[in-house]
Amino acid sequence: MRSLIDILELSVEELESLIAKAEDIIANPEKYAHKCDGKKLATLFFEPSTRTRLSFEAAMYELGGNVLGFSEAQSSSAAKGESVADTAKTVSCYADIIAMRHPKEGAPLVASMNASVPIINAGDGGHNHPTQTLADLLTIHREKGRLNNLTVGLCGDLKFGRTVHSLIAALSRYTGIKFVLISPLELKLPDYVKESLKKNGIEFFETADLEAVMPELDILYMTRVQRERFFNEEDYLRLKDSYILTSEKLVHAKKDLSILHPLPRVNEISVAIDNDPRACYFKQVLNGKFMRMALILMLLEVE
Ligand code: NCD
């Protein structure tokens, strides 16, 4: 039995086969409509979510399965003081697979050590978010036809943005990847992530100036400043609007730039850009559902 806690638990070959599976699901949805008949997915969300939880649930329904769960810690026994380990053991009695989001880094890992069914990390604190990365990879693959030889700009809250950490880890295994890390000083990529880039000999460049690097980028991955991870509101208010992508800022961008954002968007991308053919963030939402379908099939070992 296998869980997915960190994106690096999937080999490059497995990522390729998940992408191929998602493409087949897109092309032939009817083939998959009963693959998970009689199976149950539990979504245990101790933190707010729209996309991730609903996309897991939609994914399971589209595979013919059923869904149970909770969407806030307050409505679960965590509010009474139950441990993550006990919750995982309990829900293993009801579900065949569990997707868990938690504000504490490592909580899904603890769950996986105690559950008797696969656990999927649906975001743990400021740490990791492997299934968002699956959505990001399918989107990049569909837009660019490749996952290598790309200059990838990551912009915004690189410190607390868990989607950024997982995406960097995943792309670091492809050749010809260059990261441009665009953030205010206070929200720079954590040292532990930078160390792994250095160790793997991956090219990266840190800057605070989005417009200066815009012409180089093949991918621009915008992110929200992660308010809930700040220690004080003043710092958040000072930093929240550090980057707002507008049409003017795209004047010197490549014609085939792909703009991604894990969403939710607060102010980072002007809504005027939604109609720009380079905007991919709503396609990314849809791609996330297909990749989660492919992942559920893989972890449940459904042929
Ligand atoms: C992201 C998350 O939860 O980390 N959202 C998502 O799952 N698509 C990004 C964010 O909250 O900013």
Side-chain angles (χ1 to χ4, degrees), residues 4 8 16 23 30 48 58 65 70 84 99 131 218 253 264:
L4 177 65
L8 291 177
E16 266 165 35
E23 289 290 358
E30 66 294 339
F70 53 82
V84 164
T131 63
D218 300 305

Side-chain angles (χ1 to χ4, degrees), residues 6-268:
D6 186 307
I7 193 70
L8 291 177
E9 293 161 13
L10 294 169
S11 67
V12 167
E13 293 70 33
E14 285 172 322
L15 289 178
E16 266 165 35
S17 98
L18 286 170
I19 288 173
K21 180 68 80 183
E23 289 290 358
D24 195 50
I25 294 170
I26 293 168
N28 308 292
E30 66 294 339
K31 233 170 85 180
Y32 294 90
H34 296 287
K35 291 279 186 197
C36 287
D37 280 359
K39 303 257 188 233
K40 281 170 283 172
L41 162 81
T43 50
L44 311 185
F45 276 59
F46 297 84
E47 250 193 3
S49 168
T50 297
R51 267 150 299 275
T52 306
R53 185 172 60 84
L54 296 185
S55 107
F56 266 113
E57 298 190 353
M60 194 52 163
Y61 285 126
E62 288 189 29
L63 291 167
N66 287 300
V67 172
L68 64 162
F70 53 82
S71 57
E72 49 182 333
Q74 275 321 99
S75 63
S76 77
S77 280
K80 300 179 185 169
E82 186 171 57
S83 68
V84 164
D86 284 0
T87 302
K89 284 181 187 158
T90 302
V91 179
S92 297
C93 301
Y94 308 138
D96 301 286
I97 186 164
I98 297 172
M100 174 183 281
R101 166 169 291 190
H102 203 285
K104 287 213 177 98
E105 288 80 2
L109 175 65
V110 170
S112 73
M113 291 155 66
N114 289 279
S116 51
V117 301
I119 299 278
I120 302 172
N121 178 3
D124 63 327
H127 190 214
N128 278 328
H129 194 345
T131 63
Q132 180 61 46
T133 299
L134 296 179
D136 303 342
L137 294 178
L138 178 60
T139 306
I140 296 171
H141 196 265
R142 296 203 106 199
E143 297 301 315
K144 293 280 178 265
R146 64 181 193 277
L147 293 173
N148 54 8
N149 300 325
L150 293 165
T151 298
V152 181
L154 299 146
C155 178
D157 188 346
L158 309 188
K159 180 178 180 186
F160 297 116
R162 56 193 174 196
T163 66
V164 167
H165 307 156
S166 293
L167 181 58
I168 287 178
L171 285 176
S172 292
R173 292 180 300 174
Y174 293 86
T175 53
I177 296 289
K178 179 180 170 188
F179 292 112
V180 183
L181 307 170
I182 309 146
S183 74
L185 262 184
E186 292 98 322
L187 298 178
K188 278 165 73 168
L189 193 70
D191 285 340
Y192 81 92
V193 186
K194 267 186 274 184
E195 284 312 315
S196 79
L197 288 175
K198 285 183 199 153
K199 208 177 78 206
N200 293 311
I202 297 166
E203 207 182 325
F204 69 92
F205 172 70
E206 293 184 289
T207 178
D209 190 346
L210 173 60
E211 278 165 281
V213 296
M214 188 69 87
E216 288 178 46
L217 308 179
D218 300 305
I219 306 288
L220 172 57
Y221 193 93
M222 296 297 294
T223 62
R224 170 181 75 90
V225 175
Q226 306 279 301
R227 180 181 206 157
E228 64 276 36
R229 317 242 182 263
F230 274 70
F231 295 111
N232 71 70
E233 184 74 0
E234 262 165 53
D235 287 346
Y236 169 71
L237 293 173
R238 186 165 48 79
L239 293 166
K240 73 182 175 65
D241 291 327
S242 299
Y243 299 98
I244 301 177
L245 188 64
T246 57
S247 307
E248 297 75 60
K249 292 194 181 140
L250 284 172
V251 168
H252 298 294
K254 288 188 180 170
K255 292 282 164 282
D256 67 344
L257 171 73
S258 299
I259 305 166
L260 277 71
H261 190 312
L263 303 179
R265 154 174 64 186
V266 183
N267 256 337
E268 308 79 50

